Amino acid sequence: MNNVKLGNPAVVGLGGFGLSTILLQLHNLGLCGLGPVLAVGFAFGGIAQLCAGLLEHKNGNNFGFAAFSAYGSFWISIGIVWMLNHFGIYKSSGTDVGYFLIGYTFFTLILWFASLFIHGAMATTFSILMVGFILLDLGHFGFPIMNIAAAYVLIACALAAWYMMGAIIINDVAGKTILKVGKPWIAPAK
């Protein structure tokens, strides 16, 4: 029997989600060009997060599998949209991107509800993410100021994801709970 301890793929997924999200929001606030966002979005937010999702599947974690695979695919997809726009192959309007975001908003709603049964840090992260997606939806359908509000909300979301990443890593190496993640907001059935 093999008793080798395996790493938790969530640290890579949360790390990729957090960094890509922060960079995109810095871009949306006019503080960063799109180049670094595209590069990190493809590599860390996209490919690495997608790999984390596939490893969560191997671990039997449906939530992690769905979340990391879907948001990894989000980063790859939005990167393709930006490249198609840049090269004039297919121009997506703000409302085109808005419909893409609405699809992810509904997907996030399902994960948000599931997150309530996991722990407080997960529920907090997904609650903030849900608000961020709703603001982006509004921003892409006629209320562009909401994109600025979304940027600040989503930076908070990314930091919440990094908190969970930090809790997994630090608690593991410390051999005890240093960073707490809290109890589920809704107690799961026993």
Side-chain angles (χ1 to χ4, degrees), residues 70-93:
Y71 295 120
S73 297
F74 170 91
W75 285 104
I76 294 168
S77 298
I78 198 69
I80 291 169
V81 169
W82 293 331
M83 291 180 68
L84 292 173
N85 278 350
H86 177 76
F87 291 110
I89 297 169
Y90 178 82
K91 292 281 189 178
S92 293
S93 69

Side-chain angles (χ1 to χ4, degrees), residues 118-151:
I118 298 173
H119 54 65
M122 189 71 74
T124 298
T125 301
F126 272 86
S127 295
I128 299 169
L129 182 59
M130 195 67 226
V131 171
F133 267 115
I134 291 168
L135 291 171
L136 287 174
D137 296 341
L138 293 170
H140 283 77
F141 286 99
F143 303 96
I145 191 68
M146 294 297 147
N147 290 324
I148 302 301

